[in-house]
Amino acid sequence: MNSTSRATGRTVAVAVRAMVVFTLLLGVGYTGVVTLVGQLALPAPANGSLVRNDAGQVVGSALIGQSFTDADGAALPQYFQSRPSAAGDGYDGGASSGSNLGPENTDLVAAIAERKAAIAAREGVPESAVPADAVTASASGLDPHISPAYASIQVDRVAAARGLPVSEVRRLVAEHTQGPDLGYLGGSTVNVVELNLALDGLGG
């Protein structure tokens, strides 16, 4: 074996050993440490921020929205409605995306106008009271939050459908309203998944 072949062999051996070491160190060791820290320090977020009903069954995630509609797509009156979703058939984690339509796209403009009219009729408010998040999808299509303004115009309908005092429903909305991230990023939001779960806990 000549010197060039020996040098090449040593180089390959060093490369293979480095690959094995770094695979174990970064692919196994680092992943294991991060997983362990997550499970010990923040177990709920590390496991998907799952939400459970009173029976302990997992009914969703606090990070992913859901549709609260019947088989025909009509809004269930006893539930707060989420913002629209452009992810697959709606809130599909495997197809996360927005509509990618520009603000002057005729299809988007028509869809917004149709949604605004339908929501105004459903909630018994003028179209001018329907906020933007009620008629537009989020960038991910998975956002479980709506604005306090959209939650507010739904209170009377939900209270009537459940036979609950309006004040009680407003209290739940307030309890599930989160301020801006870090106190200044974005606006206040209401987690629809958690709010509807809390409503179910009240009965009605």
Side-chain angles (χ1 to χ4, degrees):
M1 181 180 292
N2 58 38
S3 59
T4 301
S5 297
R6 287 196 296 272
T8 300
R10 286 196 297 271
T11 301
V12 170
V14 170
V16 169
R17 287 198 297 271
M19 181 186 70
V20 171
V21 169
F22 282 107
T23 296
L24 292 174
L25 181 64
L26 301 178
V28 179
Y30 174 78
T31 303
V33 169
V34 170
T35 300
L36 180 61
V37 170
Q39 292 296 326
L40 293 176
L42 298 166
N47 288 300
S49 298
L50 302 178
V51 292
R52 302 174 185 272
N53 60 20
D54 291 340
Q57 299 169 316
V58 174
V59 294
S61 167
L63 304 177
I64 299 179
Q66 296 181 25
S67 295
F68 295 93
T69 57
D70 62 20
D72 296 322
L76 295 171
Q78 70 270 33
Y79 287 111
F80 282 86
Q81 295 300 302
S82 308
R83 67 186 303 179
S85 172
D89 292 329
Y91 301 103
D92 180 357
S96 174
S97 70
S99 68
N100 292 325
L101 299 178
E104 296 182 3
N105 181 276
T106 54
D107 290 337
L108 179 61
V109 171
I112 288 175
E114 182 179 346
R115 291 169 185 161
K116 183 175 289 189
I119 292 171
R122 185 181 74 216
E123 309 300 348
V125 298
E127 290 190 16
S128 59
V130 178
D133 63 295
V135 295
T136 55
S138 65
S140 68
L142 305 178
D143 191 353
H145 302 98
I146 58 174
S147 65
Y150 188 24
S152 181
I153 66 172
Q154 300 186 64
V155 167
D156 288 349
R157 167 180 54 78
V158 172
R162 289 180 175 266
L164 294 171
V166 169
S167 60
E168 179 72 0
V169 178
R170 289 197 182 280
R171 179 188 66 79
L172 278 182
V173 171
E175 288 180 357
H176 290 84
T177 299
Q178 305 160 346
D181 292 338
L182 302 179
Y184 67 94
L185 294 175
S188 295
T189 58
V190 180
N191 191 300
V192 179
V193 175
E194 295 181 334
L195 175 57
N196 283 336
L197 186 62
L199 280 168
D200 284 342
L202 289 180

